[in-house]
Amino acid sequence: ADVIEISYDTDGGNEINKIIIEKGKIILLPTNPIKNGYIFVGWFDENGNFVSEDMVLNENITLKAYWISKDAKTYTVKFDSDGGSNLGSIIVEEGKVIYLPINPTKEGYVFAGWLYDVIYTYQPGETITVEKDMTLVAKWSNGESTVTFDANGGTASFSSKKKMGGLYSPTS
């Protein structure tokens, strides 16, 4: 079986040895590192994405520890995946900007963004400045849409429709 390597950059915390896992398997997160004067928040990948416990890996990765000073004012940002993969929550220093995490997954649905305060929708990779505790709820689409065909003066007959790669294609 193909294997991949997970390395850990603890950014001044105690050293954590790299591990080898089978390609396509769920990530193995180690026991949280320790750094004097700081609170461990979580692991981020090379692109600054928060890494969750159910992330599947297909290539070598280095995870970087994210720390907050014990003296800092902090808030919690919760990610409610509404039945999708668990992304948990993160602790953020007041006034700091966070990048929204990668898409959660949910069987039979397409991720449509993060909903905040019922009216704001954000996409993964967008940033939010954290000024209070927040809960972001995953917004899902079943991938279905209504399609109207205009025969433009002609006639058309469709007996059924089927879903093809997220698009509907009429069949006659």
Side-chain angles (χ1 to χ4, degrees):
D2 289 339
V3 295
I4 59 169
E5 184 177 283
I6 305 172
S7 300
Y8 303 97
D9 174 357
T10 61
D11 190 28
N14 60 299
E15 187 176 329
I16 297 175
N17 294 327
K18 64 184 174 185
I19 63 169
I20 307 288
I21 68 167
E22 195 174 323
K23 185 176 182 176
K25 295 292 183 184
I26 293 176
I27 193 167
L28 295 174
L29 295 179
T31 302
N32 294 346
I34 298 168
K35 183 176 177 180
N36 286 335
Y38 291 86
I39 300 167
F40 175 74
V41 175
W43 295 103
F44 288 80
D45 68 15
E46 294 100 336
N47 298 317
N49 296 309
F50 176 71
V51 174
S52 65
E53 296 173 347
D54 57 0
M55 181 178 184
V56 174
L57 293 179
N58 290 307
E59 59 187 28
N60 293 343
I61 190 169
T62 298
L63 302 181
K64 184 166 181 150
Y66 179 62
W67 302 96
I68 294 177
S69 169
K70 285 185 177 176
D71 300 328
K73 177 146 181 64
T74 61
Y75 295 107
T76 300
V77 179
K78 295 179 184 172
F79 298 98
D80 176 354
S81 65
D82 188 27
S85 54
N86 180 24
L87 296 181
S89 61
I90 58 172
I91 299 168
V92 181
E93 250 180 284
E94 179 179 36
K96 292 289 184 181
V97 173
I98 63 165
Y99 288 91
L100 294 178
I102 56 176
N103 300 355
T105 56
K106 184 176 180 179
E107 187 70 34
Y109 291 87
V110 176
F111 180 70
W114 291 107
L115 194 60
Y116 175 67
D117 239 4
V118 185
I119 57 172
Y120 302 104
T121 301
Y122 300 97
Q123 296 301 315
E126 285 190 69
T127 60
I128 294 178
T129 301
V130 179
E131 300 291 344
K132 60 183 176 179
D133 289 332
M134 306 172 72
T135 298
L136 298 169
V137 180
K139 190 172 162 182
W140 299 101
S141 165
N142 62 6
E144 295 182 8
S145 302
T146 301
V147 177
T148 305
F149 295 95
D150 181 354
N152 196 23
T155 60
S157 172
F158 300 105
S159 60
S160 67
K161 57 185 177 180
K162 62 183 178 180
K163 190 172 176 182
M164 297 181 64
L167 302 174
Y168 281 104
S169 174
T171 58
S172 52

